Amino acid sequence: MKNIYSKIRIGRHFSRLGFVIALYFSFGLIQQQSRPLMFTLAIIAGVFFCGWLCPFGALQEYIGMFGKRFLKKQFRMPEKIHKHIQWFRYSLYLLVPMGFGYVFIFDPQNSTISFFSGQILTILSWVVVISFLILAFFFERPFCNYFCIEGAQLGALSLLRVFTIKRDRDKCIDCKICDKNCPMNIKISTKKQVRSPNCVNCFNCLATCPTKALSYGFVIGKNKK
């Protein structure tokens, strides 16, 4: 029998297909209108927008599924490189208050939402969007991992969250299945609880853990077991 997190993960796919298409395409919902809720949720429970509702994140994920079926195994960024360049998206985010806000013009996530809202994209914007989608066929979520400014902002807020993914060391068998199924390349098997700002709460790790060593709940304080 599938555990509750497997069912939640299935529900996540339906939420993306239904909510994203209905709200962004049919009703033209502008991302700015939902930002207060996104920020509040990130502070309380971590980043859910990136893992559950972002239309460009969904496109990368579904194209990645085809990539896995065709290639059998997608390429992963070597750990020695990933641990350094994972912070690049935060560097991009810092450029905005410095007067480089025009980087948003070529942001494929922003362009995708604009397209679903009925706006016309420039040729250069289409080139950027298509380029990242092609990369997503070979690498899992390349834009989310290293270039997303919105994800960087929400990720920074999520450092304050009171709910997170936790690992029971007594139940963990160090199979590293959670690491292999994390689209954001987080080493979950080495952590007592996931406090990484890159976590998008996709729950892939919880759904695939064979011993149910992972759970989602209150952050454990330093003086608590």
Side-chain angles (χ1 to χ4, degrees):
M1 181 181 293
K2 292 182 178 180
N3 62 40
I4 184 63
Y5 296 111
S6 295
K7 297 177 181 178
I8 290 175
R9 187 172 64 162
I10 293 173
R12 182 172 68 89
H13 289 297
F14 280 106
S15 77
R16 282 189 158 188
L17 289 173
F19 185 85
V20 171
I21 292 175
L23 293 185
Y24 283 98
F25 186 73
S26 300
F27 302 108
L29 178 67
I30 300 176
Q31 186 181 8
Q32 293 289 345
Q33 297 174 335
S34 61
R35 278 194 168 182
L37 176 60
M38 290 161 48
F39 292 165
T40 302
L41 190 59
I43 293 173
I44 296 175
V47 181
F48 275 93
F49 174 77
C50 300
W52 289 71
L53 299 175
C54 177
F56 192 68
L59 289 174
Q60 288 182 94
E61 183 172 351
Y62 294 133
I63 288 177
M65 288 180 179
F66 285 108
K68 288 178 181 178
R69 294 180 70 89
F70 183 79
L71 302 171
K72 302 302 181 182
K73 183 180 180 180
Q74 282 187 304
F75 300 105
R76 293 181 75 92
M77 189 67 68
E79 176 61 24
K80 291 182 179 180
I81 299 176
H82 171 74
K83 68 179 182 180
H84 296 296
I85 65 173
Q86 65 176 322
W87 306 111
F88 181 68
R89 66 177 191 168
Y90 298 95
S91 299
L92 288 177
Y93 175 65
L94 291 176
L95 291 176
V96 177
M98 294 172 61
F100 294 91
Y102 57 83
V103 296
F104 273 111
I105 299 175
F106 306 113
D107 185 327
Q109 185 260 356
N110 190 52
S111 296
T112 302
I113 292 179
S114 297
F115 172 73
F116 283 150
S117 300
Q119 300 180 35
I120 298 176
L121 302 183
T122 64
I123 294 177
L124 184 56
S125 295
W126 275 115
V127 169
V128 175
V129 169
I130 294 173
S131 296
F132 273 108
L133 292 181
I134 292 175
L135 282 175
F137 186 83
F138 300 96
F139 295 89
E140 193 160 25
R141 286 176 174 258
F143 178 74
C144 299
N145 270 284
Y146 309 116
F147 296 95
C148 184
I149 300 173
E150 192 72 62
Q153 183 177 25
L154 293 172
L157 291 173
S158 74
L159 292 173
L160 302 173
R161 64 187 180 274
V162 294
F163 293 95
T164 193
I165 296 170
K166 301 181 291 184
R167 182 175 67 92
D168 187 329
R169 294 173 179 172
D170 294 330
K171 293 182 179 180
C172 181
I173 58 175
D174 199 30
C175 63
K176 301 189 187 309
I177 291 178
C178 53
D179 297 344
K180 296 176 182 177
N181 283 278
C182 178
M184 300 303 289
N185 297 307
I186 300 171
K187 293 295 181 182
I188 302 167
S189 63
T190 64
K191 303 181 183 302
K192 184 177 182 181
Q193 53 188 359
V194 179
R195 301 305 304 275
S196 171
N198 296 340
C199 178
V200 296
N201 284 330
C202 66
F203 293 160
N204 285 357
C205 58
L206 289 93
T208 56
C209 179
T211 62
K212 298 182 180 180
L214 300 175
S215 61
Y216 184 79
F218 282 107
V219 169
I220 303 173
K222 292 184 179 180
N223 297 323
K224 296 180 180 179
K225 293 184 179 180

